[in-house]
Amino acid sequence: MGSSIFLGIFWHFIGATSAACFYAPLKKVTNWSWETMWAVAGLFSWILLPWGISYWLLPDFSAYYASFSSNILIPVFLFGAMWGIGNIGYGLTMRYLGMSMGIGIAIGITLIFGTLMTPILQGRFGELLASTGGKMTLIGVLVALVGVAVVSYAGLLKERVSGIAAEEFNLKKGLILAIICGIFSAGMSFAMAAAVPMHESAAQLGVDPLYVALPSYVVIMGGGAIINLGYCIIRLIIKPELSFRKDMSVTKNLLISNALFAALGGIMWYFQFFFYAWGHANIPADYGFMSWMLHMSFYVLCGGIVGLILKEWKNTGTKPVRVLCIGCLIIVLAANIVGLGMAN
């Protein structure tokens, strides 16, 4: 396996680790509504960091974005908004199906949809089927899907032992939301493909190849920010049980603590895609669509590992942990198959 491909897979793993851990600081936020917490975290992950890092990277921030026509910017923005809708749907899926079933269905759909739709839309799917390397990468996608399913089954076993159930279990509503979430969450994969002209322009301006995707995040995450922040603001306004003013009236020490933990969660959330860009830069251009598969499968893998480290699987018995480990190993196997396919 080429060293560049190995680095690409490694950086996708680091990004997925950040994604798997980002909610830990948010759990430390107390006496705030979820909407306020999510909005504060989002200010850092969707606005401050993308804008700040892009301003630092680009020789002329304003001129860079002004150089693109609406034919480029609008699709990138709309795919970002599509991904933002998927984010909201993800939380609702967990609400109606529970973590394990929700993750298994939603991540499985977005892994397949986000990975395969790009080459299909580009008319390159036949080429993949015709080449040995292409066939191997597609086999890797299927193996990753099996790994996600096994890890999700382990989570289901864990929930049964622990007596954990979905807040408002509703199979029909949950499945519909999981499908919507899976499809819309793939918007990030489509946005990255649509933003290739922006990446190329950044490279021409002398931006390091590892960072060329980062300026496009201003547009991509701008679309996601409007959806997510809009959702939070509307709920804070129309829901009588929610109050932003009440959230801000907690003691000074708690206010500072909540703000810092929310900011840390938002920063960690952004860095999943910071390292996603590094990984994407090391993946061969013909297989750029595989970045999404690597990110999503590693997200499930790292979530399982983090859960073990935080002792979330303690006292659940040996079977759930054993099934979890098998699922994690299958995902590792899938990453190696994909890597070999890209190097072939």
Side-chain angles (χ1 to χ4, degrees):
M1 192 184 301
S3 58
S4 177
I5 294 173
F6 174 80
L7 275 175
I9 293 173
F10 172 76
W11 289 124
H12 277 306
F13 177 80
I14 297 299
T17 301
S18 186
C21 296
F22 93 97
Y23 211 82
L26 300 185
K27 288 183 177 181
K28 300 290 186 180
V29 176
T30 59
N31 294 340
W32 269 13
S33 65
W34 180 89
E35 287 76 6
T36 294
M37 177 193 71
W38 194 247
V40 172
L43 286 175
F44 285 85
S45 57
W46 306 319
I47 299 175
L48 295 179
L49 280 172
W51 283 66
I53 290 176
S54 297
Y55 186 83
W56 174 68
L57 287 172
L58 297 169
D60 191 326
F61 182 86
S62 299
Y64 171 78
Y65 295 101
S67 68
F68 300 107
S69 68
S70 59
N71 291 335
I72 292 176
L73 294 177
I74 291 177
V76 174
F77 178 84
L78 291 179
F79 281 133
M82 174 183 173
W83 161 74
I85 294 172
N87 278 353
I88 296 171
Y90 187 73
L92 294 174
T93 299
M94 303 306 109
R95 180 177 183 177
Y96 292 117
L97 291 182
M99 287 293 292
S100 299
M101 190 183 296
I103 288 175
I105 297 173
I107 297 297
I109 291 173
T110 193
L111 189 154
I112 290 292
F113 193 77
T115 302
L116 299 185
M117 280 305 295
T118 297
I120 289 173
L121 293 174
Q122 292 175 344
R124 296 183 50 244
F125 193 73
E127 297 176 17
L128 294 174
L129 292 175
S131 66
T132 302
K135 290 176 183 176
M136 189 172 290
T137 55
L138 294 178
I139 290 172
V141 173
L142 293 177
V143 173
L145 189 61
V146 172
V148 170
V150 173
V151 172
S152 299
Y153 176 62
L156 187 61
L157 293 175
K158 172 178 175 285
E159 288 180 0
R160 287 174 178 171
V161 172
S162 305
I164 300 173
E167 295 177 39
E168 303 173 28
F169 185 82
N170 187 313
L171 183 61
K172 182 179 179 180
K173 188 180 292 186
L175 287 175
I176 293 173
L177 284 167
I179 293 170
I180 293 173
C181 166
I183 293 173
F184 277 79
S185 293
M188 175 59 76
S189 177
F190 303 152
M192 287 291 284
V196 168
M198 300 184 73
H199 305 167
E200 293 172 346
S201 177
Q204 292 172 1
L205 292 173
V207 176
D208 188 287
L210 286 176
Y211 302 100
V212 293
L214 298 183
S216 67
Y217 288 178
V218 169
V219 182
I220 296 172
M221 294 182 184
I226 286 179
I227 297 297
N228 280 266
L229 291 176
Y231 175 79
C232 292
I233 292 170
I234 290 172
R235 282 184 58 84
L236 285 168
I237 292 173
I238 67 174
K239 290 291 182 179
E241 68 271 21
L242 302 178
S243 171
F244 179 74
R245 180 176 296 178
K246 181 180 177 182
D247 291 339
M248 294 295 104
S249 65
V250 297
T251 63
K252 182 178 179 181
N253 288 341
L254 183 57
L255 183 65
I256 294 173
S257 173
N258 283 352
L260 289 176
F261 279 123
L264 179 59
I267 291 168
M268 292 175 67
W269 188 97
Y270 171 80
F271 272 99
Q272 71 169 303
F273 287 115
F274 180 92
F275 290 112
Y276 182 99
W278 282 25
H280 192 71
N282 282 284
I283 298 296
D286 289 343
Y287 291 97
F289 62 94
M290 295 305 299
S291 286
W292 189 246
M293 169 265 158
L294 291 168
H295 181 75
M296 297 311 298
S297 56
F298 280 153
Y299 174 77
V300 175
L301 168 66
C302 295
I305 294 173
V306 169
L308 287 173
I309 293 174
L310 296 179
K311 298 182 179 180
E312 293 179 355
W313 295 74
K314 188 177 181 181
N315 300 322
T316 60
T318 58
K319 184 177 180 180
V321 175
R322 185 167 62 247
V323 174
L324 172 67
C325 293
I326 291 172
C328 289
L329 289 174
I330 292 173
I331 291 174
V332 172
L333 173 64
N336 279 275
I337 293 173
V338 168
L340 289 171
M342 289 189 289
N344 199 311

